[in-house]
């Protein structure tokens, strides 16, 4: 098995199902809320009762178009909904409303970290099926139809991925873009992002593809990578033995660390697609598409490049600050207030994110506003307070709220730069440390730090250390 990768090339194409972030389903007004009681979010439309007619959710269209544009796709101004016919216990209609030969969008790509771009074939809209629950009742399968009719997009890649690591990198990059575009919460735990991985193996140098299999509904990116490796090894072994790989749908069992066959894989002709008679073509105007395009956010790759060039931040710092759109937006608001990207980055990555990690909260709910942190940083830059005092102010702001200047005044932390006050403290320290004072006056300059520390302690940290250094230097004749 160890030499499979030396003799065979892995060929991967991914189909990613993404639940759109809507409050209601694709064709009815039932809630999409996750975790509600089984079968409580259903109606005649999503139960497929006779006479019930679908009505397309406009919000789902907005989000689907936003996703397509975020991935550089060409949005078709006319797309057609179709019935995809198949039987499954949790599919009440006996068909799924999807899109076939005239999908919402074509082309587009996803960039891998090394700069390679993986082309997309298409993005189409569809509704989700229900959920089969196998562990609720012993010996029986229960059906929960809350998810039936939830709006999805399916993002289909070209078979251009050549390793399981590439597949993982592709999925992480795709998820990052979708989260920045705010089209989905992309929670694999809740099923709002699901991956079907198609894989085949061919000898190096062979141009045509061999028969592929599909590993269905894998629930984590690391499991996708593991499932691909196992299935690729199985294909290679079959080829080595002169056998034939059968096109089929596979399931990955993470606990057993194995991939097993679920059913034969259908071809598109098996689904007997035909246009959905109860829905007209989806027609989008140029102004509608352009309006969504104009409202797209700055995406991670562009934001990372700008943080590096504009603020001089290291690559690791940039990764932290662009991990989510919310953190990046919050950081930029701090910079806009204080005018210093590096100091803002240090505070956000250090004090702010550390506090959030302890509390488990979201940055949108952080008790200190970015404008307040910006004001605190500006006070430190202006030597109104020391960095040490600034951290005391920050802790007070997190705990009780309030403006940094008022808190610094209340706590007596504002730095004192008044010459007479500083001279008085210096005189007291010189009197208390006569030996050090005499040696310093004699030219032992390394004692300046000792004397500054003593003055800072006497002043309760309020003395301006820069002015202290200047004044001590003059006393020493420097």
């Amino acid at each position: 098995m160890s030499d499979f990768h030396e003799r065979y090339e892995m060929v991967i194409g991914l189909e990613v199902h993404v639940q759109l972030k809507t409050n209601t389903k694709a064709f009815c007004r039932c809630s999409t809320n996750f975790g509600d009681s089984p079968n409580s979010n259903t109606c005649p439309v999503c139960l497929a009762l006779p006479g019930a007619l679908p009505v397309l959710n406009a919000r789902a269209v907005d989000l689907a178009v936003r996703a397509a544009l975020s991935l550089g796709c060409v949005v078709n101004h006319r797309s057609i909904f179709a019935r995809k016919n198949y039987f499954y216990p949790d599919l009440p209609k006996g068909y799924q409303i999807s899109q076939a030969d005239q999908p919402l969008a074509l082309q587009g790509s996803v960039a891998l970290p090394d700069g390679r771009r993986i082309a997309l074939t298409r993005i189409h809209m569809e509704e989700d099926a229900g959920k089969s629950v196998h562990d609720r009742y012993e010996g029986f399968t229960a059906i929960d139809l809350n998810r039936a009719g939830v709006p999805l997009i399916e993002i289909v890649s070209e078979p251009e991925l050549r390793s399981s690591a590439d597949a993982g990198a592709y999925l992480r990059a795709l998820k990052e873009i979708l989260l920045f575009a705010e089209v989905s919460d992309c929670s694999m735990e809740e099923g709002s992002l699901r991956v079907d991985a198609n894989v085949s193996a061919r000898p190096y140098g062979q141009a045509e593809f061999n028969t592929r299999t599909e590993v269905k509904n894998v629930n984590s990116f690391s499991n996708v990578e593991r499932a691909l490796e196992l299935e690729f090894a199985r294909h290679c072994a079959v080829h080595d033995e002169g056998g034939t790989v059968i096109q089929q749908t596979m399931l990955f069992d993470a606990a057993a660390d194995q991939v097993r066959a679920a059913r034969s894989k259908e071809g598109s002709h098996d689904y007997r697609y035909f246009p959905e008679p109860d829905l007209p073509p989806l027609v989008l105007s140029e102004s509608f598409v352009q309006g969504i395009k104009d409202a797209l956010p700055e995406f991670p790759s562009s934001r990372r490049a700008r943080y590096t060039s504009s603020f001089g931040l290291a690559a690791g710092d940039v990764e932290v600050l662009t991990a989510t759109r919310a953190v990046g937006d919050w950081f930029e608001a701090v910079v806009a207030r204080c005018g210093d990207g590096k100091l803002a980055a240090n505070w956000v990555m250090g004090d702010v994110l550390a506090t959030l990690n302890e509390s488990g909260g979201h940055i949108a709910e952080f008790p200190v506003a970015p404008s307040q942190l910006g004001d605190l940083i500006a006070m430190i830059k202006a030597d109104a307070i020391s960095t040490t005092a600034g951290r005391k102010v920050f802790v007070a702001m997190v705990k009780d709220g309030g403006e940094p200047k008022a808190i610094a005044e209340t706590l007596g932390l504002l730095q004192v730069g008044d010459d007479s006050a500083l001279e008085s403290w210096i005189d007291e320290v010189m009197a208390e440390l006569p030996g050090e004072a005499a040696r310093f006056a004699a030219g032992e300059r390394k004692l300046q730090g000792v004397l500054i520390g003593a003055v800072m302690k006497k002043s309760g940290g309020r003395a301006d250390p820069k002015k202290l250094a200047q004044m001590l230097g003059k006393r020493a004749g420097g």
Side-chain angles (χ1 to χ4, degrees):
M1 288 182 61
S2 61
D3 66 341
F4 284 154
H5 282 284
E6 298 174 7
R7 296 184 291 113
Y8 289 95
E9 182 178 43
M10 185 185 290
V11 179
I12 303 167
L14 297 177
E15 301 169 10
V16 181
H17 296 82
V18 180
Q19 179 178 330
L20 299 173
K21 192 187 289 186
T22 61
N23 293 323
T24 55
K25 293 184 180 181
F27 303 111
C28 66
R29 299 184 65 181
C30 290
S31 172
T32 58
N33 190 53
F34 178 82
D36 286 351
S37 299
N39 300 306
S40 59
N41 297 329
T42 56
C43 74
V45 174
C46 50
L47 292 176
L49 299 185
L53 295 174
V55 177
L56 181 59
N57 185 333
R59 177 63 175 164
V61 176
D62 289 350
L63 294 175
V65 172
R66 189 190 300 180
L69 293 172
S70 300
L71 294 166
C73 298
V74 176
V75 174
N76 292 322
H77 292 281
R78 187 177 189 272
S79 58
I80 302 293
F81 285 99
R83 289 189 179 182
K84 181 180 181 180
N85 294 276
Y86 63 98
F87 172 78
Y88 213 66
D90 54 21
L91 189 69
K93 296 184 179 75
Y95 63 86
Q96 177 187 29
I97 298 178
S98 183
Q99 292 183 318
D101 57 340
Q102 297 184 59
L104 178 74
L106 300 169
Q107 301 173 29
S109 64
V110 174
L112 301 186
D114 61 9
R116 286 177 293 153
R117 302 198 75 89
I118 304 302
L120 302 180
T121 307
R122 58 187 278 152
I123 294 179
H124 63 261
M125 297 183 68
E126 61 185 21
E127 63 177 340
D128 207 346
K131 181 180 181 182
S132 297
V133 182
H134 304 294
D135 56 0
R136 180 68 64 88
Y137 305 105
E138 186 175 354
F140 295 91
T141 293
I143 302 296
D144 181 5
L145 296 176
N146 279 349
R147 202 168 68 187
V150 164
L152 306 175
I153 53 172
E154 183 174 340
I155 302 169
V156 183
S157 81
E158 289 288 315
E160 295 181 349
L161 295 158
R162 293 294 179 265
S163 72
S164 59
D166 281 354
Y170 168 94
L171 290 169
R172 291 177 181 91
L174 177 63
K175 179 180 178 180
E176 184 180 61
I177 291 170
L178 296 173
L179 287 173
F180 262 68
E182 297 181 338
V183 300
S184 174
D185 61 20
C186 295
S187 170
M188 297 192 81
E189 294 80 8
E190 296 182 2
S192 56
L193 191 151
R194 306 196 297 274
V195 181
D196 296 343
N198 294 278
V199 61
S200 64
R202 64 181 177 185
Y204 281 102
Q206 177 179 308
E208 64 271 15
F209 295 136
N210 284 338
T211 301
R212 63 185 171 87
T213 54
E214 179 183 51
V215 185
K216 196 81 171 173
N217 286 341
V218 190
N219 63 0
S220 76
F221 296 159
S222 59
N223 280 346
V224 170
E225 296 179 39
R226 182 58 184 156
L228 285 169
E229 288 293 337
L230 290 170
E231 187 62 357
F232 172 71
R234 187 182 72 82
H235 281 225
C236 294
V238 170
H239 293 317
D240 277 355
E241 294 169 3
T244 301
V245 173
I246 300 171
Q247 183 171 317
Q248 56 189 337
T249 297
M250 314 295 291
L251 295 177
F252 175 60
D253 185 336
D257 194 35
Q258 66 180 14
V259 176
R260 65 176 187 272
R263 60 180 184 271
S264 62
K265 174 65 178 172
E266 301 88 349
S268 60
H269 62 279
D270 294 316
Y271 293 119
R272 305 185 317 281
Y273 283 103
F274 64 87
E276 168 57 67
D278 295 329
L279 288 169
L282 175 59
V283 179
L284 307 174
S285 67
E286 179 63 37
S287 61
F288 172 81
V289 175
Q290 188 62 44
I292 292 179
K293 188 173 185 178
D294 291 342
L296 291 177
E298 180 185 27
F299 285 102
S301 58
S302 174
R303 183 171 268 189
R304 282 192 281 266
R306 181 166 58 82
Y307 286 6
T308 301
S309 61
S310 298
F311 307 136
L313 300 180
D317 296 346
V318 169
E319 289 293 331
V320 172
L321 294 170
T322 59
T324 68
R325 181 177 171 183
V327 169
D329 289 347
W330 207 92
F331 162 70
E332 292 200 32
V334 177
V335 176
R337 191 76 167 198
C338 71
D340 192 313
K342 285 193 173 182
L343 277 178
N346 291 339
W347 276 87
V348 172
M349 291 188 302
D351 301 74
V352 174
L353 294 184
T355 304
L356 280 174
N357 288 337
E358 290 176 6
S359 65
H362 189 276
I363 198 163
E365 302 161 352
F366 197 64
V368 178
S371 59
Q372 292 174 320
L373 179 58
D375 287 344
L376 177 61
I377 295 172
M379 290 174 65
I380 295 171
K381 283 184 65 180
D383 294 326
I385 58 174
S386 66
T387 300
T388 301
R391 290 206 154 80
K392 294 179 181 178
V393 172
F394 178 81
V395 170
M397 292 165 69
V398 171
K399 182 181 178 183
D400 300 316
E403 297 301 319
K405 185 176 181 180
I407 294 172
E409 289 175 343
T410 300
L411 297 178
L413 296 173
L414 289 176
Q415 280 193 169
V416 176
D418 177 69
D419 287 358
S420 61
L422 295 177
E423 289 283 3
S424 176
W425 282 325
I426 290 173
D427 289 342
E428 291 179 25
V429 166
M430 294 292 194
E432 293 168 2
L433 302 172
E436 287 82 352
R439 287 158 53 200
F440 177 67
E444 198 171 331
R445 292 298 183 85
K446 65 181 182 181
L447 289 172
Q448 179 168 306
V450 174
L451 296 173
I452 288 176
V455 174
M456 293 300 295
K457 183 177 180 180
K458 181 170 287 292
S459 68
R462 293 181 297 141
D464 183 336
K466 292 181 181 178
K467 293 199 73 174
L468 279 178
Q470 294 170 358
M471 297 173 77
L472 284 169
K474 289 180 180 178
R475 286 200 178 200

